[in-house]
Structures are given as C-alpha cells and as structure tokens.
Amino acid sequence: IATVRTSRFGNVPWQAQGIGIEGVPRFLSEDDWSLNMAKPVRRSIVTDNSFEQEFDTALPTFVAPKKEKEREPFQEISLSLIVPNPEQPRTEFPAESLQELADSIRVHGVISPVVLVPNEDTPGFYWLVAGERRCRASILAGKETVPSIIRKPMTRREMAELALIENVQREDLNPLDTALGYRRLMEEYGYFQEDLAAKIGKSQSSISRALQVLQAPVVAQEALQEGSIGMMTAVALKGLTEAEAEPLVEAVKAGEMT
C-alpha cells in the first residue's frame, strides 16, 4: 500500500488508493480529474518496500474569484460651478447631436459621471476634465446639477492627457480634432509618437496616420470636421494647393467623386 505525502485542501485529504501497473500510483478518482483547475506538481511516494519515487500528478489549484472593481464615488455638482477644460481637444459640438443627448438626459439622466478637478485659482469651482458634451446637453435639458467624480488637482499636462484619452476611447472625436489633440501633446508637452501611442493605447502607425490629415489643405480639413468628407479623402488631397483642392472637395460633397 502506498502513502502519498501531500497536503490537505480544506478538510479533504488526498490519499493513495494503491499502486497501478508498473508502479504508477492511482490516487485520483475520475471526479478528481474532472476538476478543470488541476495543474501538474511534484510529489513523493513511499511504497511498502521502503522505496521512494517521485512522480508528476495533478492537484487542484483553487483561484479566488476576482473582486469587481469598485466604482468611484460621485456627487451632484452645480453646473454653474464647472469651468470648461482649457485643454479640451474637441472643438465642435454639433447642435443636433447635443439636442439628442439632451432629450435622452431628460428621460434617463446622465448615465456616466463627468470628471472634475478643483480649480485652485478659484476656490469652490471645478475644472471640467472629461464630459463637456454631457454638461452642455444637461444645460439644454434644464438640469441644474450633473453627477461628477472629483479627482485630485492635476497639472495642465495631465488634464490634456485625460481629456484626449477620454475622447479617443469613446471614439466620438472627429479625425481632425484627434489629430490636433495629438499634435498639441507632442508640441506643448514633448511627446514622441511612440510615447503618445503607449499613453493612449494606440499603435504608433495609428498615430502617424491620424497626423497626416494636418497636411491636407485647409478646405479639406474643414470639410472633414463638418463630416462632409472622410479621413482617407482628406489625406489623399495633401500636397495640393487650396485652389486645386477646393473643386475636388466640392465634387466629393456633391457625390460626383469618391
């Protein structure tokens, strides 16, 4: 009879049930093998011949369930105390889109809190780091307060980073504003493309492609911001003069070209 040197898991000991063919121990039942969380470990076994062997077997590894990430506490803050983020990368807030959001807020409220930091220049007021569109729509909806998460004071660089990340992750920032936000972080705060890519979770090639729209003629950039042409069209027009690009942009708008 073999005795396995092993530990207890809870109150259930693992015991040897004998030696199988060619000395291979059989101490795991079929139920034991059905455990999906088993992994190979080394254990020693002593036989009735006082002969010690080592073998690989499987013992269950129990993994504690992950705790859900606790949500940050938020509070209702008066919209009159919130100052727009000077580092906001978004420059356009289409009226129709804002009105649709305002209509939703009237019915359902603001689902996702905005992010604020104390305005150290004006005690009692807050800088709006993320959520300007929600604040504007809340005002249209006739709300006096907005659910807000208050973070510790930030530098202008940190505010610019968070505002850009929040907008990019939501994927509702137009390509021109995205490119302008990238360029601002690079020019004002010394980012390289690879640093920026790592910071916001994008590939370096994605950053490089986005920046190409800034080489397009102004008429193409304006049409891109309006949504009249796409990013690839704007990039295709880079290198042209304004006079050369304008009729092409108008033709795309009219559906005469793609």
Side-chain angles (χ1 to χ4, degrees):
I1 302 298
T3 302
V4 175
R5 296 174 183 170
T6 182
S7 59
R8 289 172 176 263
F9 294 85
N11 295 320
V12 182
W14 291 78
Q15 297 177 338
Q17 297 178 0
I19 299 297
I21 299 174
E22 296 180 356
V24 177
R26 300 194 315 267
F27 65 96
L28 295 179
S29 68
E30 290 183 0
D31 290 339
D32 297 325
W33 282 107
S34 69
L35 291 171
N36 292 326
M37 294 181 292
K39 67 176 183 179
V41 294
R42 300 291 293 184
R43 285 291 181 270
S44 295
I45 185 168
V46 180
T47 68
D48 51 350
N49 297 322
S50 299
F51 159 55
E52 186 171 284
Q53 298 174 323
E54 283 197 341
F55 59 90
D56 288 334
T57 188
L59 294 179
T61 299
F62 296 99
V63 181
K66 292 182 179 180
K67 291 180 65 177
E68 290 187 10
K69 185 177 179 182
E70 293 185 4
R71 300 184 67 177
E72 292 183 89
F74 63 87
Q75 53 188 296
E76 293 287 334
I77 299 294
S78 172
L79 286 159
S80 64
L81 300 179
I82 299 174
V83 181
N85 183 1
E87 306 295 333
Q88 168 66 264
R90 184 190 296 275
T91 58
E92 293 291 320
F93 295 90
E96 183 178 351
S97 175
L98 275 181
Q99 189 59 59
E100 289 175 355
L101 181 56
D103 293 341
S104 174
I105 288 173
R106 279 194 199 94
V107 177
H108 305 291
V110 177
I111 304 300
S112 180
V114 303
V115 179
L116 310 177
V117 295
N119 185 336
E120 297 182 314
D121 298 330
T122 312
F125 285 76
Y126 300 90
W127 287 116
L128 175 62
V129 178
E132 183 167 347
R133 185 167 171 268
R134 277 162 279 166
C135 283
R136 288 173 178 254
S138 293
I139 292 171
L140 282 177
K143 301 291 184 179
E144 295 184 355
T145 63
V146 64
S148 309
I149 294 172
I150 312 297
R151 298 272 179 87
K152 64 182 182 180
M154 296 181 180
T155 64
R156 293 289 286 266
R157 172 174 176 156
E158 290 171 332
M159 289 174 64
E161 288 174 353
L162 185 57
L164 181 60
I165 290 169
E166 193 255 358
N167 279 286
V168 168
Q169 287 181 341
R170 287 177 176 271
E171 298 183 346
D172 59 358
L173 194 63
N174 74 60
L176 182 61
D177 283 344
T178 298
L180 290 170
Y182 291 164
R183 185 172 70 180
R184 184 173 187 177
L185 286 173
M186 294 171 67
E187 292 181 350
E188 295 186 20
Y189 300 109
Y191 276 95
F192 291 103
Q193 287 189 22
E194 55 268 29
D195 302 325
L196 187 55
K199 192 72 178 180
I200 65 175
K202 297 282 186 179
S203 67
Q204 185 176 344
S205 59
S206 173
I207 302 293
S208 180
R209 285 195 302 271
L211 290 169
Q212 290 182 38
V213 303
L214 301 178
Q215 300 172 34
V218 172
V219 64
Q221 292 185 28
E222 291 175 346
L224 176 62
Q225 191 163 40
E226 295 169 358
S228 303
I229 66 173
M231 177 179 172
M232 297 306 297
T233 301
V235 171
L237 298 175
K238 70 179 184 179
L240 300 182
T241 65
E242 297 295 328
E244 292 171 333
E246 185 172 2
L248 297 176
V249 169
E250 292 302 320
V252 172
K253 287 182 178 180
E256 298 170 1
M257 292 181 62
T258 58

